[in-house]
Amino acid sequence: MAENCSRKLTVEVCNAKNLMPKDGQGTASAYVIVDFDGQRRRTKTIFRDLNPQWGEKLEFLVHDVDTMAAETLELNVYNDKKTGKRSTFLGKVKISGSTFVKGGEDVPLVYYPLEKRSVFSQIKGEIGLKVWYVDEEPPPAPAPEKNDAPPPAAAEEKLPEKEKEEEKKPPEATEEKKTEEAKEEEKKPHSEEAKEEEKPPENAPPPPEAAATPTPGTSTEVEHPPIAQQKSTQHPEKSVISEHSKNIEIESKLMQKISSGNAERRSAFDLVDQMPFLYVRVVKAKISNPDAESSFCAKLVIGTHSIKTKSQAANKEWDQVFAFDKEGLNSTSLEVSIWAQKKNAEKDSIDETSAGTVSFDLQEVPKRVPPDSPLAPQWYSLEGEGSPGNDVMLSVWVGTQADEAFQEAWQSDSGGLIPETRAKVYLSPKLWYLRLTVIQTQDLQLGSGSAGSEPKVRNPELYVKAQLGAQLFKTSRTIIGSSNPTWNEDLIFVAAEPFEPFLTITVEDVTNGQSVGYAKVQVATVDKRTDDKSEPRSRWFNLIGDENNKPYAGRIHVRVCLEGGYHVLDEAAHVTSDVRATAKQLSKPPIGLLEVGIRGATNLLPVKTKDGTRGTTDAFVVAKYGPKWVRTRTILDRFNPRWNEQYTWDVYDPCTVLTIGVFDNGRYKHDEGGIKKDVRLGKLRVRLSTLDTNRVYVGTYSLMVLLPGGAKKMGEIEIALRFVCSSWISLIQAYANPMLPRMHYVKPLGPAQQDILRHNAMRIVTMRLARSEPALGQEVVQFMLDSDMHMWSMRRSKANWFRVVGCLSRAATFIRWLDGIRTWVHPPTTVLVHILLVAIVLCPHLVLPTIFMYAFLIIALRFRYRQRVPITMDPRLSYVDAVGLDELDEEFDGFPTTRSVDQVRVRYDRLRALGGRAQTLLGDIAAQGERLEALFNWKDPRATGIFVVVCLFASLMFYIVPFKAFVLGFGFYYLRHPRFRDDMPSVPMNFFRRLPPQSDRIF
């Protein structure tokens, strides 16, 4: 067909409806850009109209007729701004070439919903299109050249002979044979489920004709029924063309598109189970004789499931999508009915009258799997009494949670369009450190004291305080003899975009308790820097006096800048998930991708009551990594919810932590006595460095929560993880780089200052996310960020103590092993150590190679015993079961305490006892270092004199005796048999213990 005619594709852009206003004035100036097969066309701009009418026809040339079915027509709608400004995105539509129909007068007008370009796009509306193609006969061509190629049937029969005669033909012939085998394979019946799961064979993709003509039992693209009927009659099945090179080129193009489509599909939802949903999009109804006082709504009924759309006036659009969990349906039919609602003033009620019903057999509903184009809605006639001429426009299809309509749909398992139950992606605000350097003040107009006092204070005591939002910091106090004091102190704040409007700087006089004056600095005008080399400019600001609003009370010299070279910590340092600098130009490309599939939960415990009778749980999951937070949809009233949602994050450092928390939705209340805050059900963390790259981890993990009554298991959560590494070189290089950006090391912040800044950053993130829509609760953010880690806890103290003991136990084990050799507990081992000692003395150059080879062998042999599951939170390590109730009550007590005086006294006495033991231990450790220092500083002249004489004799001895002989003799002496040992401490130990520490000088 490509040789006998040329083909033109015509796209008529008719109109659009309900576009998103993007010009800041509640309207939009829309135009459309259409791309097809490397060609681009543009419509005119319709200014300030959310329902533009174009009516333009755009023509495209089809370069290859045989591959038109594999091409994609893409339309992008933009808001046209003034010259010099970038147009804003209003939506896009992708249409598969297999849905194009042949031109005629009856080409239907199809409305396609506008799709998002990314998860953050704000898009709505639909666009009406007519798409058709026309075949034009070319002028008569000269007589064709002689072609020795046999017809397709003959070519298939004589293929072996042809391979023998022509040695250059086998590759083409082989590809032709593979294509024929692919056609035969497609004719075999496949179940729809198997067709969705299987991957097309690499060597046998379906030809375009086979893709355009569906066979029974084969899953195909979802199409508009009239279009599908026309298409099937206009594209009969054809044999393989004789031009082998063109056939191979077509197959390669189709294979690339199929492979890319499957790759997108796998990367989107391959870590979770595909959940089938029945989608119903109700667009609008056409009522023949509407009552002006009545409103209309659509009602959907599937067995015991029923839902209504919002009420609208006659012939107005609903444009609502409903998603029903297909596994939970208890009927095989769907009924969509239109109801007229009219208020009855006498009975103070609403009377409903049916305007007709249409039914669907759910077994005949088509399937749609992205990236297939959305199913276009169509008109259906309503049946029933009083419904002549009434129609409803809707579309029904079966899809999965990967469908684009899933996010906007009313979902049967999550309460519908209630914002608090929908899935949502949040971003933490971008945080900066704002550094204020207070240099000096000049020409201060110091106010007078109180009535009856001196008119002016001779030596005032001044300080400077600065406030940014709720953050307030002060400089040190300075007693001056003039009005030009100097500080040169830094005050550091946490600033979040969008910034607070002003930084207020105030000079305070402590002597008379009054303010000398204040100045305001616009944060938007503050300089930004990324390193310590560029010194920010200093500025003078006039002070405005608080007393009688003096226009001039002096001036202050400061230096203000936004530090972009730091990473602002907004979470505990040991569980940080992002270490990048604030300035974007300092960020390096990501080294990999983290994919998390939140599959479901089991055996959740009830945390509230429904209707005051039975317990229930409305669970949702929050995952946090870097600045990106995700929240799944809320599954209502289920103890074994299944979310099957998948999310991805860019990874910039492997030594970071992913945090996942499970909560009960308390903001969606079942009754008046419902909980108003989200209740924590448990949390787990996974450090990415413990995961193998390009490997899928699927597992179930316990959810533990610590309550005042003790630790309680709330259920289990099932997740899937995969850390995909894009560059092994970058991954290995990350281990050699410093953990934090450069500014943390060249100009470090103090530990106390870091704690204050981290708590301020936590508060800012909590407040910003709480102001989102829907809000991410303050209790959720604080639980995910561990904002209470700085509070005293007996349980955490015990856990940290035993962590230290666990680390020291390895050293203690080695010392016990060495003591066992020294005391001849196992004589053969001690004899082997003697032999090893002789070998070391005779061949000292082999000491280090032997040690490193031994370490290599031991660690390599332990590889097969490595941890094969992600390492998450451990209740045993946290000592949640080994703590008393009073200690737990102390941990949950707020600050300041709310407990009784007697209870606080008991806890204080217990803390004093622990502190006493800790200070004794610290004193003993300090005494050892002080004894060693006293030995070299003649604190004890006799002991130091003895040590000096010993050093003199030792130098002479080592000059005469070879070092090898000394090592060998000392080794044999240390390993001597117990019968030759003394029970008393050795002479060097006695000598060291007699050295004077500083303990006797402490009060």
Side-chain angles (χ1 to χ4, degrees):
M1 188 173 187
E3 297 178 353
N4 299 330
C5 68
S6 61
R7 178 173 294 180
K8 286 186 178 181
L9 177 70
T10 303
V11 179
E12 182 177 354
V13 184
C14 299
N15 59 356
K17 298 180 181 180
N18 301 326
L19 296 180
M20 176 70 71
K22 287 295 182 77
D23 61 353
Q25 301 178 1
T27 60
S29 301
Y31 68 91
V32 182
I33 293 180
V34 186
D35 294 283
F36 177 76
D37 198 9
Q39 306 167 64
R40 173 170 288 188
R41 305 288 185 270
R42 184 187 188 277
T43 67
K44 61 183 179 181
T45 301
I46 306 299
F47 292 96
R48 296 193 175 184
D49 192 354
L50 296 179
N51 299 283
Q53 300 282 339
W54 287 285
E56 295 187 37
K57 295 182 181 180
L58 308 177
E59 293 186 352
F60 300 87
L61 180 63
V62 180
H63 295 106
D64 196 337
V65 176
D66 297 291
T67 60
M68 187 187 72
E71 297 291 343
T72 301
L73 176 69
E74 182 173 350
L75 294 91
N76 289 272
V77 186
Y78 294 94
N79 172 48
D80 193 358
K81 291 189 174 182
K82 296 181 180 179
T83 305
K85 295 185 178 180
R86 185 180 178 183
S87 300
T88 53
F89 183 69
L90 293 177
K92 68 176 181 178
V93 172
K94 288 186 178 180
I95 305 175
S96 175
S98 60
T99 62
F100 299 161
V101 298
K102 196 166 185 178
E105 298 180 356
D106 57 344
V107 176
L109 173 61
V110 181
Y111 284 91
Y112 297 90
L114 294 175
E115 303 175 0
K116 296 181 179 181
R117 183 164 53 187
S118 66
V119 71
F120 304 107
S121 300
Q122 296 181 353
I123 303 302
K124 71 174 184 177
E126 58 186 2
I127 186 170
L129 304 171
K130 292 183 180 181
V131 184
W132 71 90
Y133 64 88
V134 176
D135 293 329
E136 298 179 355
E137 294 294 336
E145 297 180 1
K146 184 177 180 181
N147 189 0
D148 296 335
E156 187 176 1
E157 295 175 359
K158 299 181 179 180
L159 189 58
E161 298 179 3
K162 199 169 185 178
E163 290 178 353
K164 296 178 181 179
E165 295 175 0
E166 302 179 7
E167 296 180 356
K168 298 182 180 180
K169 295 295 184 179
E172 291 83 355
T174 304
E175 294 294 334
E176 183 178 8
K177 184 176 180 180
K178 291 179 180 179
T179 307
E180 292 292 330
E181 293 176 355
K183 283 190 175 184
E184 295 179 2
E185 289 295 329
E186 279 198 349
K187 294 180 181 179
K188 297 179 181 181
H190 293 324
S191 63
E192 294 180 351
E193 294 79 0
K195 186 64 179 179
E196 292 177 1
E197 295 290 336
E198 71 178 357
K199 180 180 179 181
E202 295 183 0
N203 297 327
E209 293 80 12
T213 307
T215 57
T218 305
S219 175
T220 61
E221 292 185 354
V222 177
E223 300 167 343
H224 196 276
I227 299 178
Q229 185 177 1
Q230 294 178 12
K231 181 187 65 174
S232 62
T233 57
Q234 293 166 3
H235 293 277
E237 203 171 296
K238 295 184 291 184
S239 60
V240 181
I241 63 175
S242 59
E243 298 180 2
H244 301 274
S245 60
K246 182 177 291 186
N247 191 14
I248 296 173
E249 183 179 358
I250 295 172
E251 290 185 25
S252 62
K253 288 183 178 180
L254 288 174
M255 194 63 228
Q256 290 177 359
K257 292 185 176 292
I258 293 173
S259 301
S260 63
N262 287 344
E264 292 177 1
R265 206 168 299 174
R266 285 196 306 271
S267 62
F269 285 88
D270 62 334
L271 295 182
V272 296
D273 297 332
Q274 297 290 335
M275 298 180 65
F277 283 88
L278 174 67
Y279 289 92
V280 183
R281 179 185 290 274
V282 183
V283 181
K284 59 182 178 180
K286 183 169 61 177
I287 307 300
S288 57
N289 297 314
D291 188 352
E293 298 180 357
S294 299
S295 59
F296 293 84
C297 70
K299 183 178 181 181
L300 286 68
V301 179
I302 307 177
T304 59
H305 298 274
S306 64
I307 187 62
K308 289 184 179 180
T309 65
K310 56 187 177 183
S311 297
Q312 294 277 19
N315 300 321
K316 294 290 184 178
E317 291 189 1
W318 294 292
D319 196 18
Q320 288 185 253
V321 185
F322 302 89
F324 298 90
D325 187 1
K326 200 167 184 299
E327 296 180 354
L329 300 180
N330 52 8
S331 178
T332 59
S333 64
L334 163 68
E335 292 185 359
V336 181
S337 56
I338 307 299
W339 293 82
Q341 299 177 336
K342 186 175 182 181
K343 187 174 182 179
N344 191 334
E346 298 179 356
K347 299 182 180 180
D348 193 16
S349 61
I350 297 177
D351 298 334
E352 293 186 348
T353 305
S354 175
T357 305
V358 61
S359 299
F360 297 87
D361 187 358
L362 299 185
Q363 297 179 353
E364 302 296 330
V365 173
K367 284 190 175 182
R368 183 210 171 216
V369 179
D372 297 347
S373 299
L375 184 66
Q378 60 180 341
W379 288 102
Y380 293 92
S381 299
L382 297 175
E383 300 178 356
E385 298 181 359
S387 62
N390 295 345
D391 299 326
V392 61
M393 178 182 282
L394 55 84
S395 57
V396 185
W397 73 95
V398 174
T400 64
Q401 72 270 33
D403 201 295
E404 293 88 349
F406 184 74
Q407 295 299 327
E408 61 175 312
W410 177 97
Q411 298 154 8
S412 60
D413 59 356
S414 63
L417 295 174
I418 301 173
E420 290 78 11
T421 63
R422 306 301 302 275
K424 195 73 174 179
V425 177
Y426 302 85
L427 285 178
S428 297
K430 190 175 183 179
L431 302 177
W432 297 74
Y433 282 145
L434 188 146
R435 185 186 297 271
L436 170 65
T437 304
V438 181
I439 302 175
Q440 66 176 353
T441 57
Q442 286 185 0
D443 196 20
L444 294 181
Q445 305 296 320
L446 300 177
S448 59
S450 59
S453 62
E454 293 284 336
K456 197 170 186 179
V457 180
R458 294 182 178 178
N459 295 320
E461 188 176 358
L462 303 178
Y463 69 90
V464 178
K465 71 176 182 180
Q467 184 171 4
L468 180 67
Q471 304 174 66
L472 179 64
F473 294 102
K474 301 178 182 179
T475 65
S476 60
R477 298 180 180 183
T478 301
I479 301 177
I480 60 173
S482 65
S483 59
N484 300 326
T486 302
W487 284 274
N488 286 321
E489 293 186 24
D490 287 345
L491 303 178
I492 301 180
F493 302 82
V494 178
E497 294 183 358
F499 299 118
E500 297 284 345
F502 294 103
L503 169 67
T504 304
I505 305 173
T506 308
V507 180
E508 296 281 348
D509 187 354
V510 182
T511 309
N512 56 15
Q514 294 181 358
S515 172
V516 177
Y518 69 92
K520 289 187 176 181
V521 182
Q522 288 187 348
V523 181
T525 63
V526 173
D527 297 336
K528 298 179 180 179
R529 70 171 184 173
T530 59
D531 52 30
D532 61 326
K533 298 178 181 179
S534 59
E535 188 71 19
R537 55 176 178 156
S538 60
R539 303 164 65 183
W540 287 92
F541 293 93
N542 291 336
L543 297 174
I544 302 174
D546 288 341
E547 184 180 354
N548 299 324
N549 291 326
K550 292 181 180 180
Y552 180 76
R555 61 178 186 163
I556 185 170
H557 190 199
V558 297
R559 186 181 294 114
V560 189
C561 68
L562 288 168
E563 300 280 6
Y566 289 93
H567 169 70
V568 182
L569 291 172
D570 60 347
E571 52 195 344
H574 62 281
V575 292
T576 183
S577 59
D578 190 11
V579 293
R580 291 176 296 164
T582 301
K584 185 177 295 185
Q585 58 266 32
L586 297 180
S587 296
K588 297 181 180 180
I591 62 173
L593 191 70
L594 172 63
E595 300 175 78
V596 180
I598 303 173
R599 300 171 63 86
T602 55
N603 303 322
L604 295 181
L605 298 181
V607 296
K608 58 187 177 185
T609 58
K610 182 179 181 181
D611 302 328
T613 56
R614 64 182 182 86
T616 184
T617 297
D618 304 327
F620 68 94
V621 180
V622 175
K624 194 261 182 192
Y625 183 79
K628 179 180 175 181
W629 300 63
V630 298
R631 186 182 74 173
T632 67
R633 68 187 189 279
T634 300
I635 306 297
L636 299 178
D637 197 16
R638 293 188 187 178
F639 298 127
N640 298 285
R642 306 299 298 176
W643 292 284
N644 283 308
E645 298 182 19
Q646 186 168 334
Y647 300 93
T648 59
W649 285 268
D650 287 329
V651 177
Y652 296 87
D653 194 293
C655 302
T656 46
V657 178
L658 165 73
T659 305
I660 299 177
V662 185
F663 302 87
D664 172 77
N665 196 330
R667 287 172 169 78
Y668 177 79
K669 297 183 293 185
H670 289 277
D671 50 22
E672 295 298 328
I675 305 173
K676 296 182 180 179
K677 291 186 177 181
D678 299 332
V679 180
R680 59 184 70 173
L681 298 180
K683 177 173 59 178
L684 59 94
R685 297 193 189 95
V686 179
R687 186 170 291 272
L688 269 60
S689 58
T690 62
L691 303 177
D692 293 339
T693 56
N694 303 319
R695 175 184 172 185
V696 177
Y697 293 86
V698 181
T700 302
Y701 307 92
S702 299
L703 295 173
M704 301 289 294
V705 63
L706 192 62
L707 301 174
K712 188 175 183 180
K713 182 179 179 181
M714 305 299 293
E716 297 91 19
I717 183 174
E718 182 182 2
I719 62 172
L721 300 170
R722 178 168 56 204
F723 174 34
V724 180
C725 176
S726 57
S727 173
W728 267 97
I729 298 178
S730 300
L731 181 63
I732 299 302
Q733 185 181 4
Y735 282 88
N737 295 333
M739 189 71 179
L740 293 172
R742 178 177 178 273
M743 285 292 289
H744 286 270
Y745 303 97
V746 299
K747 202 167 184 179
L749 303 173
Q753 192 176 33
Q754 286 186 7
D755 289 339
I756 295 174
L757 294 175
R758 180 165 55 245
H759 295 146
N760 290 337
M762 287 181 180
R763 282 196 294 267
I764 291 175
V765 172
T766 301
M767 290 187 297
R768 292 290 179 90
L769 294 180
R771 292 205 303 262
S772 303
E773 184 59 37
L776 196 61
Q778 179 179 358
E779 64 280 359
V780 174
V781 179
Q782 291 179 350
F783 183 59
M784 297 289 288
L785 293 179
D786 283 334
S787 59
D788 58 345
M789 286 294 293
H790 65 286
M791 300 296 292
W792 162 259
S793 169
M794 181 68 71
R795 175 185 59 84
R796 291 196 186 100
S797 299
K798 288 183 178 179
N800 292 334
W801 168 255
F802 285 109
R803 286 170 57 197
V804 174
V805 172
C807 293
L808 296 179
S809 63
R810 274 70 174 179
T813 302
F814 175 76
I815 293 174
R816 287 195 298 268
W817 174 81
L818 191 61
D819 186 70
I821 293 175
R822 180 170 175 265
T823 55
W824 293 71
V825 174
H826 191 248
T829 305
T830 306
V831 172
L832 290 176
V833 172
H834 280 78
I835 298 174
L836 179 62
L837 178 62
V838 174
I840 291 176
V841 171
L842 296 179
C843 304
H845 60 281
L846 297 179
V847 175
L848 292 180
T850 303
I851 292 176
F852 284 111
M853 180 58 68
Y854 178 79
F856 166 76
L857 294 175
I858 293 299
I859 298 175
L861 290 175
R862 290 183 178 181
F863 176 76
R864 57 179 177 176
Y865 302 109
R866 69 190 186 280
Q867 188 80 26
R868 297 182 182 272
V869 296
I871 302 175
T872 59
M873 302 179 71
D874 188 359
R876 292 177 53 192
L877 187 62
S878 305
Y879 279 84
V880 295
D881 296 327
V883 63
L885 295 179
D886 183 64
E887 296 173 349
L888 280 176
D889 182 73
E890 182 183 12
E891 182 174 347
F892 281 91
D893 188 12
F895 189 84
T897 181
T898 58
R899 300 299 184 262
S900 63
V901 177
D902 294 337
Q903 194 170 4
V904 173
R905 181 181 292 109
V906 172
R907 293 176 180 175
Y908 177 66
D909 292 339
R910 180 177 60 195
L911 186 60
R912 289 174 61 192
L914 290 176
R917 289 197 292 269
Q919 75 179 14
T920 303
L921 177 62
L922 292 176
D924 293 340
I925 296 175
Q928 311 309 318
E930 292 168 353
R931 288 189 174 102
L932 188 61
E933 183 182 2
L935 183 63
F936 292 92
N937 292 333
W938 295 85
K939 293 293 182 65
D940 186 343
R942 286 167 293 276
T944 306
I946 295 173
F947 180 69
V948 168
V949 174
V950 171
C951 290
L952 177 61
F953 280 101
S955 63
L956 297 176
M957 182 185 67
F958 283 115
Y959 182 77
I960 300 173
V961 180
F963 180 74
K964 295 181 180 180
F966 170 77
V967 173
L968 186 62
F970 177 79
F972 284 151
Y973 174 79
Y974 181 80
L975 298 175
R976 67 191 184 279
H977 199 274
R979 70 179 63 182
F980 303 111
R981 297 179 186 276
D982 191 2
D983 296 334
M984 300 302 292
S986 63
V987 173
M989 186 62 65
N990 295 331
F991 178 80
F992 183 78
R993 287 177 179 176
R994 290 179 176 274
L995 293 174
Q998 301 277 5
S999 304
D1000 54 347
R1001 302 182 61 185
I1002 297 178
F1003 287 101

